Amino acid sequence: MTKDEMDAGVGTEEGAERSSGASAQPEGKAENGVAVAFGRQLKLLRVRAGLDRVDFGKRVGYAAQSVASFEQGRRIPQPEFIDRADRVLDAGGLLVALKEELARSQYPAFFRDMARLEAEAVELCAYDTHMVKGLLQTEEYTRAVLAMRRPLLDEDTIEQRVSARLARQEIFSRWPAPLMSFVVEEPVLRRPLGGRAVLHGQLAQLLKFGRFRNVEIQVMPLDRDDNAGVDGAFTVVTRKGGEQLVYTEAQGRSNWLSDRDETRLAAARYGIIRSQALTPRESLGFIEKLLGEL
């Protein structure tokens, strides 16, 4: 087993389960254990320092209500809060040490590995059939999609997921810039999830991202009589060194493919899908036309 395989969870018992079709635990109203543990530690340190929430909040630049949410594990604190709290409470790095795990815990359990690998990718190719890719979503579109989940997500979870999804867009300003390709089915761009105003903003954002030099967005039009994507949505992630992994997701469950033959086939399938879709330039024109119709 290579170090990369160990890092990705591939070749381990967990990774083998994902690769064989089993999947991580579905999302639900589960307590975020990392956030709860951080919150308890934060409260102990604050009380030890003789500070109430109001005084402590003033020193770190956050409202007492926010401090309470962090201590109760209801919200994931921002990285800057963690750094300031560690200094103010003289924690000696105790709080900072949990920063990475807290960042991972923002995501539902089934998506955490994907979030990490996505952030490290040198190339990312995604084909989507039901909604706009999370990386490309506006805040309003994300909020609307999460509010539609069944069973319903509570408001704190929705806010946490919105923040986490928007934070993933840091990949667009990363350097060296990863190469990113997205193919989306036409019905996705016509489906007014959250309303026409939300869709308008989402289409405008696709145009914005589609003009980045390292990003290509393509539309698979409805009038195509040949579509290699009939098996559904998937994402091909290429890591530094050329290793490829394939991620699929359905009904709150995820699946990873790491077998070299399977990942090569998936990458080849994606290439065929791209060739069948509108070109990037044609696709931007198509999206502009849809915007004009709203």
Side-chain angles (χ1 to χ4, degrees):
M1 186 195 323
T2 67
K3 181 179 183 299
D4 284 346
E5 287 173 332
M6 292 176 66
D7 289 344
V10 177
T12 63
E13 181 178 351
E14 178 188 8
E17 287 177 355
R18 286 198 299 267
S19 194
S20 65
S23 55
Q25 178 181 345
E27 65 178 316
K29 182 60 180 91
E31 187 178 73
N32 187 327
V34 178
V36 170
F38 175 88
R40 289 173 180 168
Q41 195 71 267
L42 176 66
K43 183 176 180 179
L44 283 171
L45 291 167
R46 176 180 61 77
V47 172
R48 186 189 70 176
L51 299 171
D52 61 24
R53 285 173 177 160
V54 174
D55 289 337
F56 174 62
K58 288 178 180 177
R59 296 193 185 194
V60 294
Y62 284 76
Q65 184 178 0
S66 295
V67 174
S69 294
F70 299 151
E71 290 185 348
Q72 293 160 11
R74 293 188 292 108
R75 284 179 56 195
I76 303 293
Q78 295 88 342
E80 57 267 25
F81 171 87
I82 299 173
D83 292 336
R84 292 175 192 170
D86 199 278
R87 290 195 300 270
V88 168
L89 298 176
D90 194 23
L94 191 63
L95 298 178
V96 172
L98 292 171
K99 190 190 297 187
E100 186 174 334
E101 280 303 310
L102 277 168
R104 277 172 51 81
S105 73
Q106 295 180 95
Y107 304 103
F110 70 85
F111 192 76
R112 287 172 190 167
D113 283 342
M114 177 57 182
R116 178 172 61 86
L117 291 172
E118 180 183 81
E120 299 170 356
V122 297
E123 183 178 24
L124 189 144
C125 300
Y127 169 62
D128 288 285
T129 59
H130 285 76
M131 70 178 72
V132 173
K133 189 74 174 173
L135 264 181
L136 301 171
Q137 291 177 9
T138 64
E139 178 177 347
E140 294 76 18
Y141 188 96
T142 296
R143 199 178 300 280
V145 167
L146 292 173
M148 295 173 196
R149 292 286 175 84
R150 298 296 187 274
L152 296 172
L153 298 175
D154 64 275
E155 290 302 318
D156 285 339
T157 299
I158 289 176
E159 291 306 312
Q160 179 179 307
R161 299 280 172 83
V162 168
S163 296
R165 193 164 295 183
L166 294 177
R168 288 166 56 201
Q169 293 178 359
E170 291 179 3
I171 192 173
F172 291 105
S173 56
R174 199 183 81 196
W175 191 262
L179 299 176
M180 291 186 281
S181 168
F182 303 91
V183 179
V184 59
E185 290 284 336
E186 178 183 339
V188 172
L189 305 179
R190 294 186 178 275
R191 190 173 293 130
L193 299 179
R196 293 170 65 87
V198 172
L199 179 60
H200 189 281
Q202 182 59 69
L203 293 178
Q205 175 139 302
L206 290 178
L207 287 177
K208 169 189 168 184
F209 285 143
R211 294 187 177 111
F212 289 0
R213 288 191 301 149
N214 63 316
V215 177
E216 290 189 339
I217 295 176
Q218 294 177 250
V219 177
M220 179 69 81
L222 273 170
D223 63 6
R224 291 293 192 262
D225 57 12
D226 193 11
N227 185 337
V230 291
D231 284 338
F234 65 100
T235 301
V236 180
V237 179
T238 303
R239 307 178 76 187
K240 188 176 182 179
E243 179 195 14
Q244 290 185 316
L245 298 166
V246 178
Y247 175 82
T248 60
E249 179 186 314
Q251 299 299 318
R253 295 182 179 273
S254 62
N255 184 52
W256 283 99
L257 296 177
S258 59
D259 179 82
R260 189 167 297 178
D261 290 337
E262 290 184 292
T263 58
R264 283 176 178 170
L265 283 173
R269 187 182 312 121
Y270 186 80
I272 296 171
I273 291 170
R274 288 191 67 185
S275 70
Q276 294 168 334
L278 298 176
T279 67
R281 178 171 294 185
E282 291 170 339
S283 297
L284 292 183
F286 186 90
I287 295 171
E288 287 179 333
K289 181 175 179 293
L290 290 180
L291 262 174
E293 295 173 357
L294 286 176

